[in-house]
Amino acid sequence: LRLAACGATGTADELAALLGRCGVRVRRGTISKWKSRGIIRPVGDEGGKPTYLLWDIWKAVDREGFSAS
């Protein structure tokens, strides 16, 4: 619930790296595919790259059944 409330955002690269440091492996390319499929939506733009809510990425990870390593 704290992830939802914190409002943290980042690019696909940034969020993939952040989750990786927490033991959750998700690739930048996977995040981009989720965008293309409408699973997640960008909430902003940083230097020409879309930004996403960390919570949205986490929900997609959970939905797809990714496991923590």
Side-chain angles (χ1 to χ4, degrees):
L1 187 56
R2 288 184 181 180
L3 279 180
C6 78
T9 63
T11 65
D13 284 329
E14 293 167 343
L15 294 177
L18 174 65
L19 288 169
R21 290 191 301 272
C22 297
V24 179
R25 292 187 179 187
V26 60
R27 296 176 138 165
R28 181 207 57 79
T30 300
I31 294 172
S32 296
K33 286 180 186 178
W34 288 337
K35 176 189 169 209
S36 297
R37 294 179 184 163
I39 295 170
I40 59 172
R41 290 184 301 182
V43 295
D45 185 90
E46 183 179 297
K49 296 180 181 179
T51 57
Y52 307 94
L53 284 169
L54 175 59
W55 176 244
D56 289 344
I57 302 303
W58 178 253
K59 288 189 305 185
V61 165
D62 188 52
R63 172 186 172 199
E64 295 294 319
F66 280 61
S67 61
S69 49

